[in-house]
Amino acid sequence: MSKVRSLFFSLGVIQKRKVAGQSQILGIKARNMSTMEYTFETLKVTRPKDYVVQVEMNRPKKLNAMNRAFWRECRECFQKLSTDEDCRVVLLTGSGKIFTAGLDLTDMGEDFMTSDLEVGRKAFKLRNTIRDYQETFTVIEKCPKPVIAAIHNACVGGGIDMTSACDIRYCTSDAWFQIKAMDIGLAADVGTLQRFPKIVGNDSLVRELCYTARKFFSDEAKQIGYVSRIFPDKEAMIEGSLEMASMIASKSPIAVQGTKISLVFSRDHGVQEGLNHVGLWNQGMLQSEDVMKSAMAAIEKKQATYSKL
């Protein structure tokens, strides 16, 4: 054990500092900071497990339809989660009978009705609105913490945009999905056309689903790779999702978040660019205490405990 420790010290992986005349390994003690508070109208945020935050869409009487408040609050929520040191994994769920009915068109009309503005100015105003809506789901992808979407029953329209930005997708056996934009006379514009094809990897099927707006069900969703697990009911799905979230949260937050950042970057760049990116990233991260802690835990056959990030 002492040889392993000496090796890591010689590589510079463990950094030391003098505190009150004593040598301490940086980061052994978790920072004692207060937990962030989350209060929203359309979202319910809880902490069901250590380092796991559950974000639940909370408009059950409206079938979790996405109104204007939701688009703002979802963006704010995931921006906060990105820097919440007590959050390492996010579980995204929906309350009530279904996951989400998608856009709340009865509430959002104002955002697209630009009265008597000249057409060019009307276009610029709509452009800014669309960008704001796009960012609502892009922040899920930008959030360095893995996001697990647990989908039950219907996942329609904006629900596909939203879950396409998540890292892992589970669903219940009664779940069904629909890329709905075609039926309201639009091309989907907040993420489905950009992310869904890269998840599924079947161009012909993607075009079929987008052009027809037909429903596809849990078995097909798993077959095409959109979800990775199917559960018999919502209760079992939440239990399984929390189990997975806890497993991920037990790993080094530096390793997990670095992996997500690298996966997202590499998806949108060439192989060599991805290698260069992760190489530069690990120039710093190889010096983290988490590397030493993981090595020692493996030798001692026990679970490592990592400092807050």
Side-chain angles (χ1 to χ4, degrees):
M1 189 181 301
S2 60
K3 290 182 179 180
V4 173
R5 182 176 289 274
S6 298
L7 173 62
F8 276 92
F9 268 99
S10 67
L11 290 174
V13 173
I14 295 297
Q15 301 178 28
K16 286 185 165 187
R17 66 177 176 185
K18 296 288 183 178
V19 178
Q22 296 182 344
S23 179
Q24 291 187 342
I25 297 176
L26 287 175
I28 291 296
K29 293 184 178 180
R31 288 171 288 174
N32 185 21
M33 297 181 67
S34 60
T35 299
M36 286 187 179
E37 296 295 329
Y38 297 82
T39 304
F40 299 109
E41 175 188 340
T42 66
L43 302 172
K44 181 181 177 182
V45 180
T46 56
R47 299 178 185 271
K49 300 278 188 180
D50 288 345
Y51 295 112
V52 177
V53 173
Q54 182 173 351
V55 177
E56 182 177 57
M57 290 180 283
N58 195 30
R59 299 185 74 213
K61 293 182 180 179
K62 297 292 185 179
L63 303 180
N64 297 322
M66 300 170 175
N67 61 359
R68 282 181 293 171
F70 166 83
W71 291 94
R72 182 187 70 256
E73 291 182 345
C74 183
R75 185 165 61 246
E76 293 172 358
C77 181
F78 278 92
Q79 286 170 340
K80 285 185 70 173
L81 288 169
S82 293
T83 58
D84 186 343
E85 64 177 6
D86 291 309
C87 171
R88 294 183 181 176
V89 184
V90 181
L91 175 60
L92 177 63
T93 62
S95 63
K97 295 180 180 180
I98 73 171
F99 183 72
T100 178
L103 303 185
D104 187 344
L105 295 175
T106 62
D107 181 72
M108 293 172 58
E110 274 185 44
D111 285 348
F112 301 103
M113 298 297 106
T114 51
S115 65
D116 299 324
L117 288 176
E118 183 270 334
V119 64
R121 285 155 182 81
K122 186 184 296 186
F124 264 85
K125 185 174 181 180
L126 285 171
R127 178 173 180 257
N128 292 333
T129 299
I130 292 168
R131 282 185 170 182
D132 283 344
Y133 286 167
Q134 289 173 339
E135 187 64 15
T136 293
F137 296 150
T138 295
V139 294
I140 297 175
E141 187 172 85
K142 286 181 178 177
C143 176
K145 288 72 182 285
V147 181
I148 301 172
I151 305 159
H152 72 287
N153 204 277
C155 179
V156 179
I160 304 288
D161 295 298
M162 187 182 203
T163 55
S164 291
C166 296
D167 296 87
I168 297 169
R169 286 162 296 278
Y170 295 156
C171 75
T172 54
S173 58
D174 67 347
W176 57 273
F177 306 81
Q178 187 176 23
I179 300 171
K180 188 69 173 173
M182 189 63 61
D183 282 349
I184 58 173
L186 290 172
D189 58 5
V190 288
T192 291
L193 301 186
Q194 292 69 41
R195 297 186 178 100
F196 186 78
K198 293 182 179 181
I199 296 167
V200 173
N202 183 329
D203 184 71
S204 176
L205 179 62
V206 166
R207 291 170 188 268
E208 174 191 322
L209 294 172
C210 292
Y211 296 160
T212 64
R214 76 164 174 85
K215 297 177 182 179
F216 60 103
F217 296 85
S218 58
D219 54 349
E220 185 176 8
K222 188 172 188 297
Q223 181 184 3
I224 66 178
Y226 193 64
V227 301
S228 51
R229 293 180 69 183
I230 300 174
F231 293 85
D233 53 46
K234 184 178 179 181
E235 183 179 356
M237 177 180 64
I238 297 299
E239 182 179 346
S241 299
L242 286 173
E243 182 180 343
M244 177 57 65
S246 292
M247 181 185 298
I248 296 170
S250 72
K251 309 297 183 182
S252 158
I254 283 181
V256 171
Q257 293 179 42
T259 297
K260 175 170 180 175
I261 290 166
S262 184
L263 283 169
V264 173
F265 181 91
S266 295
R267 180 199 64 190
D268 298 329
H269 296 79
V271 172
Q272 190 58 52
E273 289 173 299
L275 289 170
N276 293 342
H277 176 268
V278 75
L280 287 170
W281 182 272
N282 273 353
Q283 285 177 205
M285 296 307 112
L286 278 168
Q287 302 177 67
S288 163
E289 67 173 27
D290 289 21
V291 177
M292 181 63 191
K293 284 186 174 183
S294 298
M296 296 301 294
I299 291 169
E300 296 173 1
K301 301 186 186 307
K302 66 179 185 181
Q303 177 65 49
T305 300
Y306 301 101
S307 304
K308 294 182 180 182
L309 183 60

